[in-house]
Amino acid sequence: MGLERIRRVADRLPIQSNAVKFVVAGTNGKGSTCAMLEAILLASGWRVGMYTSPHLIDFNERARINGQTVSDADLIEAFKLVEAAREGVSLTYFEFTTLAILLLFAKQPLDAWVLEVGLGGRLDAVNIVDADCAIVTSIDLDHQAWLGETREAIGWEKAHVFRANRPAICADPAPVQTLIDYATEIGADLWLFGRDFNYSGDRQQWGFAGRHARRNALAYPALRGANQLLNAAGALAALESVRDRIPVTQQAVRQGLIQAALPGRFQILPGQPVVILDVAHNPHAAAVLEKNLGNMGYHPYTYAVFGIMADKDVDSVIGHLAKRIDRWYCVDLPGSRALPGQELANKVREVTSTHRTPEDGSVEIEVYGSASEAFDIVRQKANPDDRIVVFGSFLTVAGVLEHLGRR
């Protein structure tokens, strides 16, 4: 890993732009923060390019220009330009496609770029872009093989999206000292949650307070979940920090928060039984999912369609949800990184046996060859007042979404 190869190719490509560039890193909450930034900026009339990853069904989901997914033809043209500029330099899948999407954005007269970091920060392909405002949404354990075994090590990696003399937003309520030290060392303008910005709310509305501005009487974000106000506060802090270059109106903030959408993040499908889709695949995200499920009210039984990658902290993910889920449907996923459904079922059996009491009731555990097959079986078994949670890897959620014919 390193940025030397991608920078060599980037120097041969016309990817320069005067747009205000937001770079968003973090363990969880990146996609939600990007979606809110995009929606608020668009509602204010600014022209916006947004790059996120990974995709659920179609690769094109990764790049949006003014709220519209880019076309196959435009992507292919950009791929050809990157291939021609490589001149034999080896690029990873993510590096290659990042350059292509930056090319697409640079060709358009955009006012803002919203760019989601893929993994970490310091060595991620997106970090070749000098952020006008960088955001770290949260810091927790994930991708330890690449980023380190502690929050301090991971926070240091993510902090490298910060730039000297530019706003550096940290929305994690418990920022690690390594992130603070790095921001201080390079002279970044560090905004910390609880010190430089905050939020408060009641059942009807909420308010944001930043260094220089307050935004009151805001509707709750359309994105559901316990952490979305934290993500929204980080997005509003970022927008406040660059307000001289790209101001947004109060009405645009209200409209953007209501309109922001992101599939697979505590996404609730209409109908009975209720179906929840969530790409929770690390302990931090699983803890948030458990809290969100607890806030939903009573359901006699909770069924889960669950598939995950083998390199995740699978035991901790299961542990967070052991008391919430009664029927586990463990599934095989495509790809060599996936944990086989039978091995996953064995882990579920082992972990739930230590987390559940007799009062929690017994669990049922079954294994299926795909998320779509398991989902069909679950829908036959579940009663209208039960609920179904499809969670884990992006591939688990994508398998069900695609099976339902959704885009």
Side-chain angles (χ1 to χ4, degrees), residues 53-330:
S53 64
H55 60 277
L56 278 167
I57 298 172
D58 299 315
F59 177 88
N60 311 54
E61 296 167 33
R62 294 178 179 232
R64 288 157 57 98
I65 294 176
N66 294 326
Q68 300 299 311
T69 303
V70 298
S71 69
D72 287 354
D74 286 344
L75 279 169
I76 291 167
E77 181 184 349
F79 291 155
K80 288 178 179 177
L81 291 172
V82 175
E83 180 62 19
R86 272 200 319 116
E87 297 179 8
V89 175
S90 173
L91 294 174
T92 67
Y93 168 92
F94 189 74
E95 290 166 345
F96 189 103
T97 53
T98 296
L99 287 173
I101 290 168
L102 295 181
L103 261 178
L104 287 177
F105 289 176
K107 285 178 60 178
Q108 301 289 326
L110 299 178
D111 302 300
W113 293 6
V114 179
L115 309 174
E116 180 184 355
V117 167
L119 190 158
R122 181 172 64 96
L123 301 176
D124 188 85
V126 171
N127 203 31
I128 63 168
V129 175
D130 285 327
D132 294 293
C133 174
I135 306 168
V136 173
T137 58
S138 64
I139 303 158
D140 217 281
L141 301 181
D142 201 4
H143 303 292
Q144 289 98 310
W146 296 106
L147 304 179
E149 296 291 338
T150 64
R151 287 186 74 237
E152 287 73 20
I154 292 170
W156 183 80
E157 291 282 348
K158 295 183 187 302
H160 278 70
V161 298
F162 296 160
R163 294 296 188 266
N165 303 313
R166 295 184 183 178
I169 316 295
C170 180
D172 193 307
V176 292
Q177 191 62 42
T178 50
L179 177 142
I180 296 170
D181 290 346
Y182 181 79
T184 303
E185 176 188 331
I186 67 168
D189 178 19
L190 182 62
W191 292 48
L192 292 177
F193 177 79
R195 185 190 75 180
D196 300 282
F197 65 100
N198 213 326
Y199 71 81
S200 59
D202 55 32
R203 289 182 177 273
Q204 280 74 42
Q205 58 189 19
W206 72 287
F208 166 82
R211 283 185 185 173
H212 312 287
R214 300 183 70 89
R215 296 189 184 274
N216 297 316
L218 298 173
Y220 278 85
L223 296 174
R224 297 179 173 93
N227 274 20
Q228 293 301 355
L229 282 188
L230 202 54
N231 296 330
L236 293 183
L239 290 167
E240 182 186 333
S241 75
V242 293
R243 66 195 182 285
D244 293 339
R245 290 184 62 187
I246 192 161
V248 297
T249 65
Q250 180 77 343
Q251 181 56 31
V253 170
R254 291 196 175 103
Q255 184 179 339
L257 290 174
I258 292 170
Q259 292 180 341
L262 191 65
R265 277 69 164 189
F266 206 67
Q267 179 185 0
I268 299 178
L269 303 184
Q272 289 185 308
V274 65
V275 176
I276 302 113
L277 305 172
D278 200 302
V279 292
H281 56 258
N282 56 51
H284 181 260
V288 173
L289 175 58
E290 188 278 331
K291 185 175 181 181
N292 291 337
L293 292 174
N295 290 335
M296 285 184 71
Y298 176 72
H299 294 271
Y301 290 101
T302 298
Y303 292 78
V305 176
F306 180 34
I308 198 167
M309 297 294 114
D311 56 0
K312 300 300 178 183
D313 185 353
V314 181
D315 289 1
S316 294
V317 170
I318 297 167
H320 281 298
L321 292 156
K323 284 181 172 288
R324 291 285 176 205
I325 294 169
D326 310 291
R327 308 286 186 262
W328 295 80
Y329 288 64
C330 301

Side-chain angles (χ1 to χ4, degrees), residues 344-407:
L344 180 55
N346 294 341
K347 284 181 174 288
V348 169
R349 187 170 292 106
E350 180 182 344
V351 175
T352 55
S353 68
T354 63
H355 282 72
R356 290 176 71 98
T357 65
E359 290 75 26
D360 296 320
S362 60
V363 296
E364 291 182 6
I365 304 167
E366 298 183 21
V367 179
Y368 290 91
S370 69
S372 58
E373 180 189 4
F375 185 72
D376 283 344
I377 298 295
V378 168
R379 283 210 294 189
Q380 293 171 21
K381 292 190 173 185
N383 291 318
D385 52 352
D386 293 333
R387 63 183 171 185
I388 301 168
V389 186
V390 180
F391 82 102
S393 167
F394 275 76
L395 293 173
T396 311
V397 173
V400 170
L401 277 175
E402 197 161 20
H403 183 57
L404 294 171
R406 291 174 177 262
R407 282 288 181 269

